Amino acid sequence: MEAFVDAGINANWLLKGQGPMLLADYSTPAASELTEPMVVLDLKRLKLAIETIEEALTKHRRGLRPAKKAEAIMLAYQIYEEEDKEKDRANFDHASKILDRLIKSMA
């Protein structure tokens, strides 16, 4: 079996008849075929966005349905991303206050 795979034969094709016979026939989609652009997340920023939303919800004793909470987290992430580009701490603090007010009004 190992010799077949080393020769470029698909083990699934050999054992089950599934997929292409040759490993080389597996292809990754071209960039033009992808439906959505690749996004690289900043995990620290994502953590901050989640913490900001959760803290605001706790502070105002509110709750959000999962879909709405996900939207709020995405919005917080985007706001922090924009503020981080400006590297301005005052704007960053202002963004946090805006998010807090947003959660208060959403929940």
Side-chain angles (χ1 to χ4, degrees), residues 8-9 33 42 50 52 70 81 93 101:
I9 305 294
E33 295 174 6
D42 179 325
I50 293 169
T52 299
E81 184 175 42
D93 291 340
R101 282 189 231 136

Side-chain angles (χ1 to χ4, degrees), residues 87-98:
K87 302 287 185 203
D88 185 351
R89 186 66 197 174
N91 284 345
F92 190 81
D93 291 340
H94 183 67
S96 293
K97 289 176 185 174
I98 289 172

Side-chain angles (χ1 to χ4, degrees), residues 6-88:
D6 288 343
I9 305 294
N10 177 2
N12 277 341
W13 179 82
L14 273 174
L15 296 172
K16 298 181 177 184
Q18 295 175 341
M21 181 178 89
L22 301 175
L23 291 172
D25 291 340
Y26 278 108
S27 64
T28 56
S32 61
E33 295 174 6
L34 295 175
T35 57
E36 293 185 25
M38 293 272 294
V39 176
V40 178
L41 289 177
D42 179 325
L43 295 180
K44 288 180 184 178
R45 187 177 297 125
L46 178 60
K47 181 179 183 283
L48 177 63
I50 293 169
E51 288 173 348
T52 299
I53 298 304
E54 290 296 340
E55 286 170 5
L57 288 169
T58 300
K59 176 181 171 184
H60 299 293
R61 294 186 179 117
R62 310 251 180 172
L64 289 176
R65 288 173 294 176
K68 289 293 182 187
K69 187 183 281 189
E71 287 178 29
I73 290 168
M74 287 177 7
L75 177 62
Y77 182 92
Q78 291 169 342
I79 289 171
Y80 284 137
E81 184 175 42
E82 290 301 314
E83 297 307 321
D84 197 35
K85 288 177 186 173
E86 295 181 19
K87 302 287 185 203
D88 185 351

